[in-house]
Amino acid sequence: LTLAAIVQNKHAKAEHVAVSLDVTDDLLTVNGSKSSTVEVPANGEVRVDFHVKVRGEGEAKVRVTAKGDDDGDAKELAFPVLVHGMEKTVANVGSIAAGSGSAEKSVVVEVPSERREDQTDLVVRTSPSLAGGMIDALPYLLDYPYGCVEQTLSRFVPAVLTRRALQQSGGITLEELGKAHRDLNAQHLGTAAHGNVDAKRAERENKRYDRNPIYDTKLLGDIIDEGLQRIAKMQHGDGGWGWWADDTSSVYMTSLVLASLLDAKAADLPIDQGMLERGRSALRQEVESEIWRYREKDDGKYVSDSDAYALWVMSRFNDRHDELLKTLYARRLHLSPYGKLLLALTEKNLGQEAQAKLLLDNVEQFRKADKENETSWIETATSGWWYWWNDDIETNALYLRALDSIRPKDPIAPQIVKWLLNHRKNGWYWNSTRDTAMVVGVFANHMQVSGERRPDYDLTIAVDGKAVKTVHVDAKNMFTVDTDGHL
């Protein structure tokens, strides 16, 4: 590389300056001369380049000295000399379906030969259920500041669902869960036996876990109470919701709020029935104001995914709009996969089993599968990716919800779960507060349907046939048991 020195002359006349370079000999070698003489003009500057070659890693000291006729200066700096390489994670995954009885899963990991053995870890990380994914996502959601209606819901609903999940798992407290997570993540917090833990990464992890509000029962309760109050205050005079308290109500936002409130109610959170009824009435009126679009457009192709969303929410109130339902079903091929799934759930709620199954079959024409990684997913269109109804995470979360409702315990469901888990950012959340909140809610429902809330098994981790760890997992310890193996 080239090291450059800028020599400045602040005198009123030109100066001949001898510039020399000294380096840490065991780390750097100077190619060519270590010194040169340059003429620096009055009140000017000159750049002097030195070419060096890196010989080893460590901290290199570089000193440049400049001597003029009757003046001089020097500067010394230290630079890190790093190996030309990169941190690399090589991973593979496997899963065992719930209810498999005695089962074994082998995973082959190819370890790169060109590596630093003293900085190489083999970590076998297992999750006893989807609960781990729910818990890990919460710091991202709960730390997010309140803002519009959607952001409030993205913080409020997961908090309600997770609190309910903990209550159903032996009544473990958040403080107990926090202690267990700190213990289980000791390798990230710099307290494990490994001597090669990166100090900066450990510091970041420490900060993350120290500020995590999920481990404070009172704070979590405050988040739930404040969220519910904000939702009530942002309800409009007509009973609906928009993005803000002072804008216009919309079919989409009213549907989103009502769906969230119904999820919270199903998790045993007391919800004001008057607020729900005003919202339901407003949603029906908004749907009535939309139906003219279908009556005027006689091409038979116009559809709105927001209207499918509204019908699904209405069906959860055991309410229906037959004209819109029949119209969307007749034009179902023009709905996105997201819209078809919403319509399938609507038909299921209204007792139309055949229509629900047909719509689910229509969506599964877009299903892809990776047998090696044991994943399946619904492929969304590459265009229009910025629309909420074309988001791949939300679409596949809704697909899982539809499977659990229409074909419960379908063998495809664990593959969808695995695809969703594989598409988390940084290992614990998804792309945004919105899709993360949706996945958390769908996972909570899936745990109930699949029976993952009631695990009861012995888990053995073996490397090259040698058992390195055996633990028992049940409903009481599923959130706290250390099922990871670090070698």
Side-chain angles (χ1 to χ4, degrees):
L1 72 155
T2 299
L3 299 178
I6 305 298
V7 183
Q8 297 178 325
N9 176 16
K10 296 185 178 181
H11 294 292
K13 63 177 182 177
E15 291 271 351
H16 287 86
V17 181
V19 185
S20 61
L21 172 71
D22 292 314
V23 297
T24 308
D25 291 335
D26 57 340
L27 299 184
L28 301 175
T29 298
V30 180
N31 294 333
S33 176
K34 292 185 178 182
S35 63
S36 62
T37 299
V38 295
E39 182 177 348
V40 185
N43 296 309
E45 64 183 32
V46 171
R47 168 175 162 160
V48 181
D49 290 341
F50 298 94
H51 303 288
V52 301
K53 183 176 179 61
V54 177
R55 299 178 55 192
E57 64 177 313
E59 184 179 74
K61 290 184 178 180
V62 176
R63 183 190 301 118
V64 176
T65 303
K67 293 183 178 180
D69 298 332
D70 52 9
D71 201 354
D73 197 4
K75 179 71 173 180
E76 183 178 274
L77 294 173
F79 296 95
V81 183
L82 307 177
V83 171
H84 183 67
M86 61 181 289
E87 285 191 12
K88 184 177 183 181
T89 300
V90 179
N92 206 334
V93 290
S95 62
I96 298 175
S100 299
S102 179
E104 178 180 314
K105 182 67 182 182
S106 296
V107 175
V108 177
V109 178
E110 183 177 342
V111 181
S113 59
E114 294 184 351
R115 73 185 193 281
R116 294 194 159 192
E117 293 190 12
D118 63 333
Q119 295 185 17
T120 301
D121 289 325
L122 174 61
V123 180
V124 182
R125 175 153 294 163
T126 63
S127 176
S129 75
L130 290 173
M134 291 173 59
I135 297 299
D136 288 342
L138 278 186
Y140 171 68
L141 293 169
L142 300 184
D143 275 352
Y144 201 87
Y146 283 129
C148 64
V149 171
E150 185 181 74
Q151 291 166 348
T152 301
L153 294 172
S154 296
R155 199 175 190 224
F156 162 73
V157 177
V160 174
L161 297 177
T162 301
R163 185 171 71 175
R164 179 58 176 160
L166 294 175
Q167 291 170 346
Q168 292 177 334
S169 300
I172 183 174
T173 67
L174 294 173
E175 286 74 15
E176 290 171 336
L177 181 63
K179 181 180 183 303
H181 267 220
R182 288 186 175 91
D183 291 343
L184 298 184
N185 287 279
Q187 74 276 7
H188 291 307
L189 301 178
T191 58
H194 308 298
N196 58 336
V197 177
D198 181 85
K200 291 184 179 179
R201 183 178 69 181
E203 182 181 356
R204 290 195 302 269
E205 293 289 334
N206 268 309
K207 289 181 179 178
R208 173 188 163 216
Y209 281 91
D210 284 346
R211 76 171 189 265
N212 188 344
I214 188 179
Y215 302 138
D216 187 323
T217 301
K218 182 181 181 304
L219 183 55
L220 188 68
D222 291 344
I223 288 172
I224 293 172
D225 293 341
E226 291 170 9
L228 189 56
Q229 291 172 13
R230 281 180 59 84
I231 293 168
K233 288 180 179 179
M234 297 178 89
Q235 187 173 24
H236 295 164
D238 61 5
W241 283 269
W243 286 94
W244 305 96
D246 55 357
D247 61 353
T248 304
S249 298
S250 73
V251 170
Y252 168 69
M253 287 306 300
T254 301
S255 301
L256 179 64
V257 173
L258 289 174
S260 301
L261 291 175
L262 289 172
D263 285 343
K265 184 178 180 181
D268 295 334
L269 184 71
I271 304 294
D272 177 45
Q273 191 61 34
M275 177 171 62
L276 284 174
E277 183 56 32
R278 291 193 302 275
R280 184 202 65 78
S281 178
L283 181 60
R284 185 169 188 86
Q285 292 176 9
E286 289 165 9
V287 168
E288 289 286 355
S289 67
E290 288 286 313
I291 196 65
W292 67 270
R293 300 179 186 274
Y294 296 89
R295 295 169 181 166
E296 284 194 353
K297 295 180 180 294
D298 57 2
D299 59 1
K301 294 181 180 181
Y302 173 77
V303 291
S304 168
D305 291 273
S306 293
D307 293 336
Y309 200 174
L311 287 176
W312 173 59
V313 174
M314 289 174 62
S315 72
R316 296 179 67 181
F317 285 98
N318 199 27
D319 192 3
R320 59 195 299 154
H321 192 291
D322 288 334
E323 181 182 358
L324 182 57
L325 182 62
K326 291 178 181 178
T327 301
L328 287 183
Y329 184 79
R331 303 180 183 185
R332 60 188 179 277
L333 295 181
H334 303 292
L335 286 168
S336 70
Y338 200 119
K340 292 185 180 73
L341 290 167
L342 288 168
L343 200 61
L345 286 166
T346 302
E347 299 281 14
K348 171 67 177 179
N349 290 345
L350 297 176
Q352 306 296 323
E353 299 282 347
Q355 289 91 327
K357 291 179 180 178
L358 179 59
L359 284 159
L360 187 57
D361 289 341
N362 290 161
V363 172
E364 290 184 320
Q365 296 179 31
F366 302 97
R367 185 171 70 85
K368 303 294 182 181
D370 185 336
K371 292 183 179 180
E372 183 177 352
N373 289 317
E374 301 174 343
T375 57
S376 290
W377 66 97
I378 299 299
E379 190 171 62
T380 57
T382 55
S383 60
W385 53 267
W386 52 87
Y387 295 122
W388 63 268
W389 43 258
N390 197 39
D391 178 84
D392 55 347
I393 299 298
E394 287 195 37
T395 298
N396 282 282
L398 192 62
Y399 178 38
L400 177 61
R401 183 162 190 158
L403 282 175
D404 285 338
S405 175
I406 300 169
R407 297 204 309 258
K409 297 188 177 181
D410 190 287
I412 295 174
Q415 299 176 25
I416 301 296
V417 170
K418 194 171 178 183
W419 184 91
L420 287 167
L421 290 174
N422 288 351
H423 283 75
R424 290 178 293 183
K425 284 187 175 181
N426 300 311
W428 67 84
Y429 61 86
W430 285 266
N431 295 326
S432 66
T433 56
R434 178 195 157 93
D435 62 21
T436 299
M438 183 172 181
V439 173
V440 168
V442 169
F443 276 10
N445 178 71
H446 179 73
M447 287 175 63
Q448 188 69 39
V449 173
S450 66
E452 289 189 32
R453 288 197 189 279
R454 301 172 296 279
D456 186 13
Y457 59 85
D458 292 315
L459 171 68
T460 298
I461 298 173
V463 177
D464 289 337
K466 181 181 178 181
V468 296
K469 189 167 192 175
T470 299
V471 296
H472 180 75
V473 181
D474 55 33
K476 293 182 179 180
N477 69 3
M478 62 185 292
F479 287 100
T480 58
V481 63
D482 183 359
T483 58
D484 292 355
H486 306 277
L487 300 95

